[in-house]
């Protein structure tokens, strides 16, 4: 079940001559049947343009798109059997919820009891069957988003496309709906392509993520792969907080900075490098310890921000940018150090979490 999407050397150029801009620049992707696949990146990176080319709303300049081996590059949207969920929901305010969901079925000439049954099933899947006779204006933002999802899925599309569907909702509702949308998409088995600029959405929902920048895919993989093994400074910084440190490889397993040395399990190809390398270390892979502890870099606490379940420490370490440390359950029974700003402290990195990255 599900549709395999193959994208080959896809290019989209807007404008002509010196004003021409390559919004999508030679992208190759294969999205597996039934996969929940995310296109992630900052504004202007080309993710929405790519999604709209998959939908058929924008014609590519070069390259091809295939669904299960069938070329659909220049096929109109109504010939692709795709369902689209827009950022704005795009519900008809004068229609009931059931009528909104039935809209695509009317276009396909599906009427009567068959239509009613398909609408009931689609609304039940998004837990909105009790609201079938309400108008969209009588629903919350989260409920409207569920209706938009039901309308896209009721036609039983080969591919479901979602364009930043949660961006208009408050933070708590976004969190609640992330899990609900993933459950619906995975239980239906429909191949789903989801566009967002929110890394938390991508990390918590996706099977795989393509991170885009300037119209190109800069890294592709599972959320865990992208977060734990970023290949570049851009990827490391885009996917959450990180510490970026320029260091020298003194010997296998040891990196040095001005403040001292620290252990790091670096791949063998870096052992021949004599110049500085750039490494990424996540704040949660960094510990605050008493000053002078063996294996720790000596520093000075700049500030601590208490957030309840975590505390964020910022430490000045000679020769490094200020080091960010995330402490779980701060001031709890397992917390062994409670320094005040200005006091000397030690910083320890998990050697397994020190990741070399490209500087660009």
């Amino acid at each position: 079940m599900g549709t395999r999407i193959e994208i080959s050397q896809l290019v989209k150029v807007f404008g002509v001559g010196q004003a021409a801009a390559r919004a999508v620049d030679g992208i190759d992707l294969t999205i597996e049947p039934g996969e929940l696949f995310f296109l992630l990146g900052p504004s202007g990176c080309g993710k929405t343009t790519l999604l709209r080319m998959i939908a058929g709303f924008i014609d590519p300049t070069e390259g091809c798109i295939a669904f299960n081996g069938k070329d659909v590059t220049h096929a109109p949207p109504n010939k692709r059997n795709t369902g689209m969920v827009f950022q704005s929901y795009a519900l008809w305010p004068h229609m009931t919820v059931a009528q909104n969901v039935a809209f695509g079925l009317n276009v396909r000439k599906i009427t009567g009891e068959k239509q009613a049954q398909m609408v009931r099933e689609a609304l039940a899947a998004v837990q909105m069957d009790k609201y079938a006779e309400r108008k969209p204006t009588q629903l919350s933002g989260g409920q409207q988003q569920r209706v938009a999802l039901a309308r896209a899925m009721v036609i039983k599309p080969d591919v479901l496309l979602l364009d930043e569907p949660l961006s208009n909702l408050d933070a708590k509702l976004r969190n609640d709906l992330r899990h609900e949308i993933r459950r619906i998409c995975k239980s239906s088995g429909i191949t789903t392509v989801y566009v967002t600029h929110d890394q938390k959405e991508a990390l918590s929902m996706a099977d795989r993520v393509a991170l885009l920048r300037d119209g190109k895919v800069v890294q592709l993989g599972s959320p865990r792969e992208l977060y734990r093994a970023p290949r570049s400074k851009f990827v490391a910084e885009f996917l959450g907080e990180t510490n970026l440190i320029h260091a020298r490889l003194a010997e296998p397993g040891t990196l040095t900075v001005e403040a001292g040395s620290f252990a790091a399990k670096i791949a063998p190809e870096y052992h021949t490098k004599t110049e500085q390398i750039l490494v990424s270390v996540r704040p949660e892979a960094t510990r605050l310890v008493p000053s002078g502890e063996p294996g720790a870099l000596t520093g000075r606490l700049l500030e601590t921000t208490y957030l309840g379940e975590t505390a964020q420490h910022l430490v000045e370490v000679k020769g490094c940018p200020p080091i960010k440390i995330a402490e779980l359950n701060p001031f709890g029974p397992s917390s062994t150090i409670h320094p005040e700003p200005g006091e000397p402290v030690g910083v320890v990195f998990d050697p397994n979490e020190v990741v070399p990255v490209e500087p660009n």
Side-chain angles (χ1 to χ4, degrees):
M1 192 175 183
T3 297
R4 181 184 177 92
I5 304 172
E6 294 172 287
I7 298 168
S8 303
Q9 284 298 294
L10 204 65
V11 173
K12 181 59 186 179
V13 178
F14 290 108
V16 294
Q18 293 184 340
R22 294 172 80 89
V24 172
D25 192 5
I27 285 181
D28 291 301
L29 284 176
T30 298
I31 301 170
E32 299 299 338
E35 192 170 28
L36 181 49
F37 191 92
F38 270 62
L39 300 174
L40 175 68
S43 297
C45 71
K47 57 188 185 294
T48 295
T49 300
L50 177 55
L51 187 80
R52 289 175 175 267
M53 285 192 284
I54 296 171
F57 298 148
I58 296 176
D59 210 33
T61 306
E62 298 173 23
C64 63
I65 303 168
F67 288 178
N68 282 340
K70 180 184 177 183
D71 190 342
V72 297
T73 309
H74 302 291
N78 63 325
K79 299 295 183 183
R80 301 191 187 203
N81 195 32
T82 58
M84 187 91 173
V85 179
F86 297 95
Q87 182 177 343
S88 62
Y89 317 145
L91 300 177
W92 298 101
H94 64 285
M95 293 182 179
T96 65
V97 164
Q99 289 169 338
N100 267 282
V101 174
F103 185 81
L105 299 176
N106 291 328
V107 173
R108 287 163 173 76
K109 311 298 184 188
I110 299 173
T111 57
E113 180 53 35
K114 184 178 181 182
Q115 180 191 98
Q117 178 63 24
M118 292 175 74
V119 169
R120 283 195 295 271
E121 290 175 356
L123 287 174
V126 298
Q127 300 176 354
M128 286 295 294
D129 40 326
K130 295 185 296 185
Y131 302 90
E133 298 309 313
R134 290 196 185 182
K135 298 287 181 66
T137 53
Q138 297 173 301
L139 304 176
S140 69
Q143 290 171 330
Q144 290 183 45
Q145 190 57 272
R146 288 170 189 251
V147 174
L149 189 57
R151 183 180 59 186
M153 295 182 69
V154 73
I155 60 172
K156 302 196 180 305
D158 295 325
V159 176
L160 180 63
L161 306 170
L162 298 100
D163 187 6
E164 306 214 35
L166 304 182
S167 61
N168 290 333
L169 305 178
D170 64 67
K172 184 180 185 307
L173 197 50
R174 282 203 304 272
N175 288 336
D176 293 342
L177 280 180
R178 283 173 192 165
H179 304 293
E180 190 65 15
I181 288 177
R182 178 170 171 83
R183 179 192 68 78
I184 293 165
C185 292
K186 297 306 290 183
S187 64
S188 71
I190 298 172
T191 303
T192 304
V193 185
Y194 189 122
V195 159
T196 186
H197 64 273
D198 186 331
Q199 68 268 25
K200 297 293 185 187
E201 269 178 40
L203 293 173
S204 63
M205 295 174 65
D207 293 325
R208 282 193 304 152
V209 178
L211 182 54
L212 276 66
R213 183 188 191 189
D214 298 332
K216 297 178 183 290
V217 175
V218 293
Q219 192 166 343
L220 171 66
S222 70
R224 184 177 297 181
E225 288 168 346
L226 266 64
Y227 185 82
R228 294 179 62 88
R231 293 180 194 157
S232 68
K233 174 184 175 183
F234 170 76
V235 176
E237 289 186 309
F238 192 83
L239 289 172
E241 293 283 330
T242 195
N243 295 298
L244 292 165
I245 302 166
H246 288 278
R248 293 185 183 276
L249 188 65
E251 58 186 58
T254 304
L255 290 174
T256 63
V257 293
E258 192 174 348
S261 301
F262 58 94
K265 292 189 177 178
I266 301 294
E269 62 261 29
Y270 287 93
H271 292 175
T272 58
K273 288 180 176 283
T274 57
E275 72 274 17
Q276 281 192 333
I277 61 173
L278 181 64
V279 295
S280 165
V281 193
R282 298 292 184 187
E284 65 272 18
T286 309
R287 289 188 299 118
L288 193 67
V289 298
S291 178
E293 184 167 304
L297 296 176
T298 300
R300 181 177 66 89
L301 183 66
L302 295 175
E303 62 180 55
T304 293
T305 304
Y306 180 69
L307 298 171
E309 73 277 12
T310 61
Q312 295 177 350
H313 306 290
L314 199 62
V315 178
E316 181 182 58
V317 173
K318 197 170 184 180
C320 300
I323 301 296
K324 292 167 281 204
I325 301 172
E327 181 186 5
L328 186 63
N329 192 24
F331 310 111
S334 61
S335 182
T336 58
I337 178 172
H338 309 292
E340 294 294 328
E343 292 183 355
V345 292
V347 172
V348 174
F349 303 120
D350 182 338
N352 298 295
E353 302 291 335
V354 179
V355 181
V357 293
E358 295 297 322
N360 56 349

